Amino acid sequence: MYYPFSWLRSLGRVAAYFLVVTLLGWYFSELSIAIAIGALLLLAGHYWNIYRLNHWLWQSKKITPPKVNGVWEHIYDGIYTLQRRNRAKRKELGLLVKRFREGSEALPDAAVVVDANAAIIWCNRLARIELGLRWPDDAGRRIYNLVRHPQFIEFYHKKDYEKPIEVPSPVNDQRILEYRIMPYGDQHLLLLIRDVTKLTQIEKMRKDFVANVSHELRTPLTVINGYLETLPGATNIPEAFLAKAFEEMRSQSTRMQCLIEELLVLSRIEASNERTTENIVDVPQILNTIKIEADTLNSAKQHTISMDVDPNLQVYGVETELRSAFSNLLFNAIHYTQEQGKIHVQWKLVDGQATYLVTDNGYGIEAKHLGRLTERFYRVDKARSRKTGGSGLGLSIVKHVLNHHNSRLRIKSKVGEGSEFSFAFSHELSIKQTKV
């Protein structure tokens, strides 16, 4: 009822305006000129209001419209009402998008949405970690240009998505990812990616564990059994021989205990289902604790150990696993560097990635050994390893920890000059705290 009556009032005002103009023209005997001037003034007024409308819509920072009368009042009010409705709808849409993003980040799987041309429209944080996507830089790029494994490309173009496919991760070939593709909407596809490395490796882990234990425990058990078979039936055994026998049996039993403990640590890491993206690890605090332990371990060799640690640099990860990786590299440097050597530890941000480096001036390692150092029980110098009590599992533990955190151990070494062991965490896992 409001709008029809308002328009009638506006028409009444225009009629009254021209009535006054007509009377003035009749009074001055210039009726046509008066009507022309009145029409021009009315037109000028309308153009002035059009200019004000354009200025309000595109340049003015005010939300409320200018105050006018007549028909323009209704036009301004109508536009203002539509703007308020649109703002309310945009706010609702923003809240809906926010809830969608929060829900997608809570998914236990990586998720990617692509259009009919395979162009990436959206991905969650797990997808950026598992597939190495950079957001928003990779928006619009085709998914098979980033996940380039031939089996995945064939699977994608075949368009038979009933069964999932398992292929190595594009950022870590030691991890196996399962891809599920589900069409939805207007020719869009939803990719769900799950890490199934643990499922595919569990049988291999069991076999390796049994084989490694039986191989590595055979020697110390043989030594202990040899002494146990000799001692009970022997008479007049020299005290020196007894002391040596007990010391050797104690040494071998200690070695077996350490070996079993490290095997259990390694198996626990391999079987771990703990997600690396949920907890923030205070690495500087861990390194401070490791430094205290290293000083105790270093009491005999008297190395000079220096630490360059960024106190504000943290990472997402599993604290117990990362502690094993950090400490193993430092303790190895202490064990395999000649007395009074120099060891330098760094924890810093390099190209946006949290990086850990341990450098020593020890014996160095020949190039032919570098590719096998992370194999279980592999030793460059078996005699030196026995002397230092090495089990051959330290770097294997580091390797599996880093695999779990989508990282890789880098080794640089030159015989007679020393070695550098390092690894880095991706941008998504690195956290640089800013001081307030």
Side-chain angles (χ1 to χ4, degrees):
M1 296 296 290
Y2 173 78
Y3 287 104
F5 285 108
S6 296
W7 278 103
L8 286 175
R9 274 202 305 272
S10 297
L11 291 173
R13 289 174 181 174
V14 172
Y17 171 77
F18 275 104
L19 178 61
V20 171
V21 168
T22 302
L23 290 174
L24 288 172
W26 176 76
Y27 179 78
F28 291 104
S29 301
E30 296 289 347
L31 183 62
S32 58
I33 294 175
I35 292 174
I37 292 173
L40 287 173
L41 290 175
L42 184 62
L43 184 63
H46 282 304
Y47 270 106
W48 170 245
N49 281 313
I50 291 173
Y51 169 77
R52 294 179 69 189
L53 175 63
N54 181 73
H55 183 271
W56 175 55
L57 291 176
W58 297 105
Q59 299 179 27
S60 177
K61 296 181 179 179
K62 293 183 178 180
I63 298 176
T64 56
K67 291 185 178 181
V68 293
N69 295 317
V71 67
W72 285 100
E73 180 181 3
H74 305 297
I75 294 173
Y76 276 107
D77 287 343
I79 294 173
Y80 180 55
T81 301
L82 289 175
Q83 284 183 332
R84 284 192 302 176
R85 289 176 183 173
N86 288 336
R87 280 196 296 270
K89 289 180 180 179
R90 285 198 299 269
K91 185 176 180 181
E92 291 178 4
L93 183 59
L95 292 174
L96 182 62
V97 171
K98 182 180 179 182
R99 286 196 294 269
F100 168 76
R101 288 178 176 173
E102 290 173 349
S104 66
E105 297 299 344
L107 287 173
D109 300 328
V112 181
V113 175
V114 300
D115 62 15
N117 297 317
I120 298 174
I121 298 175
W122 170 87
C123 66
N124 66 356
R125 180 168 171 265
L126 271 180
R128 300 195 291 273
I129 294 173
E130 298 291 357
L131 303 182
L133 301 181
R134 301 293 296 273
W135 193 259
D137 297 345
D138 288 332
R141 294 188 64 183
R142 296 187 176 180
I143 185 66
Y144 48 75
N145 289 336
L146 298 171
V147 184
R148 299 182 179 180
H149 196 281
Q151 293 183 17
F152 174 79
I153 296 174
E154 181 184 359
F155 173 67
Y156 184 89
H157 289 297
K158 194 175 180 181
K159 299 186 182 300
D160 182 9
Y161 306 136
E162 186 176 347
K163 295 182 180 179
I165 186 175
E166 295 180 5
V167 295
S169 165
V171 297
N172 185 349
D173 56 11
Q174 300 297 315
R175 302 179 70 178
I176 305 298
L177 300 181
E178 178 191 80
Y179 293 84
R180 288 182 177 273
I181 300 181
M182 289 165 284
Y184 79 98
D186 186 16
Q187 295 185 333
H188 284 68
L189 298 176
L190 173 64
L191 281 72
L192 292 178
I193 302 98
R194 176 176 300 176
D195 187 347
V196 294
T197 308
K198 300 300 182 293
L199 298 177
T200 59
Q201 289 183 344
I202 191 167
E203 182 62 22
K204 184 177 181 296
M205 287 163 45
R206 184 188 67 80
K207 292 179 180 179
D208 287 347
F209 184 83
V210 173
N212 291 331
V213 168
S214 61
H215 172 75
E216 289 296 321
L217 295 184
R218 186 178 294 115
T219 299
L221 285 174
T222 300
V223 173
I224 294 173
N225 284 333
Y227 282 117
L228 292 177
E229 289 174 0
T230 303
L231 292 176
T235 58
N236 300 322
I237 301 175
E239 290 187 6
F241 177 82
L242 284 174
K244 179 183 178 182
F246 286 125
E247 176 61 26
E248 187 67 21
M249 285 190 289
R250 185 197 64 78
S251 174
Q252 294 296 336
S253 64
T254 301
R255 180 187 170 196
M256 283 192 296
Q257 182 180 1
C258 294
L259 184 62
I260 291 171
E261 288 176 354
E262 291 199 339
L263 279 169
L264 291 173
V265 169
L266 185 58
S267 296
R268 186 165 58 249
I269 292 171
E270 289 177 330
S272 173
N273 289 320
E274 191 169 353
R275 296 175 64 175
T276 61
T277 57
E278 293 181 345
N279 299 313
I280 297 177
V281 179
D282 190 347
V283 176
Q285 182 178 357
I286 291 177
L287 293 179
N288 287 336
T289 304
I290 292 175
K291 177 62 166 60
I292 296 172
E293 297 171 358
D295 289 337
T296 303
L297 186 65
N298 186 42
S299 59
K301 288 199 168 184
Q302 295 296 305
H303 297 311
T304 300
I305 302 176
S306 58
M307 306 280 287
D308 179 12
V309 177
D310 186 337
N312 301 310
L313 185 57
Q314 301 176 339
V315 293
Y316 285 99
V318 181
E319 182 172 341
T320 54
E321 294 183 10
L322 292 179
R323 178 184 171 83
S324 295
F326 291 130
S327 60
N328 264 302
L329 292 188
L330 178 54
F331 296 167
N332 274 1
I334 294 173
H335 285 310
Y336 297 108
T337 300
Q338 61 271 26
E339 292 183 3
Q340 297 184 347
K342 293 182 179 179
I343 300 173
H344 185 51
V345 177
Q346 297 179 77
W347 172 247
K348 59 184 181 180
L349 202 64
V350 179
D351 296 330
Q353 297 184 323
T355 305
Y356 181 69
L357 303 95
V358 177
T359 309
D360 64 62
N361 64 343
Y363 302 105
I365 305 166
E366 293 182 55
K368 65 180 182 180
H369 297 295
L370 296 181
R372 301 190 61 190
L373 287 179
T374 56
E375 294 180 12
R376 296 187 187 191
F377 304 109
Y378 184 82
R379 298 179 178 89
V380 174
D381 187 337
K382 293 184 179 180
R384 191 189 303 166
S385 294
R386 283 194 295 269
K387 184 177 178 181
T388 59
S391 66
L393 288 173
L395 292 183
S396 185
I397 290 174
V398 173
K399 172 187 173 183
H400 283 83
V401 168
L402 297 183
N403 281 342
H404 194 197
H405 291 77
N406 273 348
S407 183
R408 182 172 297 179
L409 182 64
R410 298 190 292 264
I411 306 172
K412 299 178 183 177
S413 187
K414 189 171 289 187
V415 176
E417 295 184 12
S419 306
E420 178 188 278
F421 292 79
S422 66
F423 54 83
F425 298 96
S426 68
H427 299 77
E428 290 293 332
L429 296 181
S430 304
I431 308 169
K432 176 68 173 179
Q433 300 278 358
T434 54
K435 292 184 178 180
V436 181

